[in-house]
Amino acid sequence: MQAHSVFFYFFSLITVFSSFMVIVSRNTVYSVFFLILVFVSVSVLFIMIGAEFLGMIMLIVYVGAVAVLF
């Protein structure tokens, strides 16, 4: 149970930091990379709570769409 909590807090901190960097970043390319990092970390959080389908859909649809669109 302890390892699960450590991973949860680690990916939560990555999500919050990356979300802040999406807003603050002046370079568009860096902003897109941070947005992809936000989506990946949120999908990992979904997978950790047992919602594997939501996590995989988040990876496939949102990360793929942002990468292709940019």
Side-chain angles (χ1 to χ4, degrees):
M1 187 64 183
Q2 181 69 17
H4 193 282
S5 298
V6 169
F7 282 124
F8 174 77
Y9 287 126
F10 176 71
F11 284 112
S12 297
L13 286 174
I14 289 175
T15 303
V16 170
F17 174 73
S18 298
S19 301
F20 180 71
M21 290 304 291
V22 166
I23 297 168
V24 173
S25 180
R26 310 267 288 152
N27 193 349
T28 309
V29 176
Y30 292 152
S31 184
V32 168
F33 284 148
F34 282 121
L35 186 64
I36 289 172
L37 185 61
V38 167
F39 287 147
V40 168
S41 60
V42 166
S43 68
V44 168
L45 288 173
F46 276 138
I47 291 170
M48 283 178 59
I49 64 169
E52 290 87 8
F53 181 75
L54 273 175
M56 290 300 148
I57 290 298
M58 188 101 171
L59 278 177
I60 292 168
V61 173
Y62 290 123
V63 174
V66 167
V68 169
L69 184 66
F70 188 72

